[in-house]
Amino acid sequence: MAGGIGSRFWPESRVKKPKQFLDILNTGETLIQTTYNRFLKIADKDNIFIVTNEQYIPLINEQLPEVDASRILAEPMRKNTAPCIAYACHKIASMDPDANIVIAPCDHIMLNPDKFLYVVLEALEYTQKNDVLVTLGIKPTRPDTGYGYIQMEAETEPGLYKVKRFTEKPDHATAHQFVQSGEYLWNAGIFVWNVRSILSAFENLSPDIFQILQKGNGKWNTPEEQEFINQFYPTTPNISVDFAIMEKAPNVYTVPAEFGWSDLGTWASLYEECPKDDRG
């Protein structure tokens, strides 16, 4: 997912060139390049799709010239994460109805990327065999009020826990209680599922999005796809996948993990991740 404007990183991140297209960590790679190269370790380049706003197509072509145009999904307008995920999953289902999918933001950092990929592969193995929606949960290191929290139930398989509930950005006292309890994880917004499972969830829990995009069946991966998206995508509701699906679905599970994750959402989170001189 690469369509956001990174408004909390203003003035460095601008609408014309948001943070995913910046080398904000001074590594020699932009955030989207780092994310793409990370997934190349477990996926063929033809199996990596980028959903973005149409205005960023030139930036993606410039920064990721190896990505084929058919793997870049252009949103005519921003509609939050549920429609963009539904769009990608409909398109992928038309190519492989048994596909297992990882949904990831393009601008998160993983200080231990190999551990991250190990967790992803473990989750993919489980979703291949089970009708479940998996979200990666990060073991919290502090009572941060900027993250959503996932409450875990009992462990159902080694390393896999049923999700009891989601809580969006609690106040500091509540976040402190969550961390102290040991029952809660940060919601990383990274999802793993089989395409059948997620499309079934959209059909049952968010039928407005499902029915609009289902009209594109027969047009995916054809010259008619973009015309269809330009006409119908703007009619989808503006809603996150957390609200549309994850908070309602009965088959949501989480994998607690530690791989040096940050969503790099604000200047404060960048400060947390960067080395300091003697003046901090």
Side-chain angles (χ1 to χ4, degrees):
M1 296 184 290
I5 60 174
S7 59
R8 290 180 293 172
F9 261 104
W10 190 92
E12 187 73 11
S13 177
R14 304 294 186 98
V15 171
K16 289 185 178 179
K17 195 171 186 179
K19 69 170 179 171
Q20 60 267 33
F21 302 109
L22 303 176
D23 179 9
I24 209 150
L25 292 170
N26 198 31
T27 62
E29 286 184 334
T30 64
L31 293 174
I32 194 171
Q33 288 172 328
T34 297
T35 302
Y36 178 79
N37 290 330
R38 183 186 302 135
F39 280 106
L40 276 180
K41 293 181 180 179
I42 61 169
D44 184 272
K45 70 181 182 68
D46 287 336
N47 286 347
I48 298 177
F49 295 76
I50 299 170
V51 191
T52 191
N53 188 272
E54 61 186 6
Q55 76 181 103
Y56 301 139
I57 301 296
L59 282 170
I60 290 173
N61 290 336
E62 174 191 329
Q63 295 192 7
L64 297 172
E66 62 271 44
V67 176
D68 189 81
S70 65
R71 269 47 181 174
I72 302 173
L73 287 62
E75 302 170 291
M77 64 188 301
R78 295 178 181 87
K79 283 288 188 170
N80 215 316
T81 54
C84 89
I85 287 171
Y87 171 20
C89 291
H90 272 92
K91 179 180 173 77
I92 292 169
S94 73
M95 305 169 72
D96 179 2
D98 298 313
N100 287 287
I101 300 173
V102 184
I103 303 287
C106 67
D107 52 4
H108 290 188
I109 63 170
M110 320 290 176
L111 299 180
N112 190 339
D114 291 338
K115 177 68 180 294
F116 166 71
L117 294 175
Y118 174 81
V119 171
V120 166
L121 290 172
E122 290 280 297
L124 283 167
E125 186 176 339
Y126 191 71
T127 59
Q128 188 172 9
K129 301 171 185 173
N130 300 278
D131 178 22
V132 295
L133 308 176
V134 175
T135 179
L136 300 194
I138 309 300
K139 293 180 180 177
T141 57
R142 60 187 183 276
D144 198 307
T145 59
Y147 295 143
Y149 285 74
I150 302 166
Q151 186 178 16
M152 299 178 288
E153 290 187 344
E155 188 175 32
T156 56
E157 300 252 344
L160 191 78
Y161 295 78
K162 186 86 167 60
V163 170
K164 186 173 184 178
R165 65 166 176 158
F166 290 86
T167 302
E168 267 301 299
K169 298 182 175 65
D171 60 34
H172 188 270
T174 305
H176 183 75
Q177 290 176 353
F178 285 176
V179 174
Q180 290 291 101
S181 74
E183 297 178 8
Y184 287 81
L185 305 168
W186 285 336
N187 182 9
I190 301 169
F191 308 107
V192 184
W193 44 50
N194 184 277
V195 72
R196 295 183 192 275
S197 297
I198 188 59
L199 289 182
S200 174
F202 270 104
E203 183 175 15
N204 293 318
L205 303 173
S206 192
D208 43 0
I209 295 176
F210 181 82
Q211 289 164 10
I212 290 168
L213 293 178
Q214 191 182 36
K215 296 174 185 175
N217 290 349
K219 297 180 172 65
W220 308 121
N221 305 293
T222 75
E224 299 174 72
E225 177 181 325
Q226 193 61 53
E227 182 181 352
F228 168 79
I229 285 296
N230 290 345
Q231 180 180 353
F232 287 96
Y233 194 86
T235 68
T236 61
N238 187 329
I239 187 171
S240 73
V241 73
D242 295 290
F243 288 134
I245 303 296
M246 305 305 285
E247 292 187 3
K248 304 177 193 173
N251 57 337
V252 178
Y253 291 77
T254 187
V255 179
E258 295 177 280
F259 37 74
W261 169 86
S262 172
D263 72 344
L264 217 61
T266 64
W267 287 110
S269 59
L270 178 63
Y271 178 79
E272 287 281 335
E273 303 303 331
C274 287
K276 319 291 189 293
D277 63 17
D278 56 4
R279 296 173 298 169

